[in-house]
Amino acid sequence: QVQLVESGGGLVQAGGSLRLSCAASGGTLSNYNMGWFRQAPGKEREFGAAIHWSGSSTRYADSVKGRFTISRDNAKNTVYLQMSSLKPEDTAVYYCAASPYWSYTTAALYSYWGQGTQVTVSS
């Protein structure tokens, strides 16, 4: 059973940056493809970014492409999401998730989820 814990969220002004971390315990992250999703108040959870278990491939939602970068350090059992040029519409709870499948946008195919970390971007 893999446990995921996100950290690094907070309040930032528009145009600023944050780096989220997702640390795993109880399992080896190198066995999983990893994704970041987000959920804003009153909206459905949406895909943000994903990285292949090997780190060889990444995918991004159009809404974050060019501003967010997903990376992983399998030796540290940690995945990161570097967020830059943040906008108020990026305000949401951000979740990391682990999947044995490379169907990166499909939340239902992710087996393990963290509890989420709040990101608030002020205008």
Side-chain angles (χ1 to χ4, degrees):
Q1 186 80 3
V2 176
Q3 290 86 42
L4 302 174
V5 178
E6 302 95 336
S7 61
L11 174 64
V12 63
Q13 289 189 332
S17 299
L18 281 175
R19 188 176 82 154
L20 306 184
S21 298
C22 172
S25 61
T28 303
L29 270 191
S30 60
N31 292 334
Y32 296 94
N33 304 301
M34 298 298 296
W36 285 96
F37 289 74
R38 65 186 185 183
Q39 187 167 18
K43 295 187 176 181
E44 293 189 353
R45 190 171 298 188
E46 65 175 9
F47 167 74
I51 187 167
H52 192 262
W53 64 266
S54 66
S56 62
S57 185
T58 57
R59 295 290 187 272
Y60 298 93
D62 288 343
S63 58
V64 307
K65 197 173 295 182
R67 301 187 298 120
F68 290 12
T69 302
I70 188 171
S71 62
R72 65 191 302 157
D73 186 338
N74 286 340
K76 294 183 177 180
N77 239 16
T78 302
V79 176
Y80 306 96
L81 186 68
Q82 178 67 48
M83 305 186 296
S84 303
S85 302
L86 283 162
K87 306 174 182 180
E89 51 264 42
D90 293 319
T91 295
V93 178
Y94 283 71
Y95 300 89
C96 69
S99 174
Y101 308 105
W102 187 232
S103 295
Y104 37 89
T105 63
T106 308
L109 292 180
Y110 285 80
S111 304
Y112 304 104
W113 292 81
Q115 83 291 347
T117 186
Q118 176 71 47
V119 171
T120 303
V121 184
S122 63
S123 58

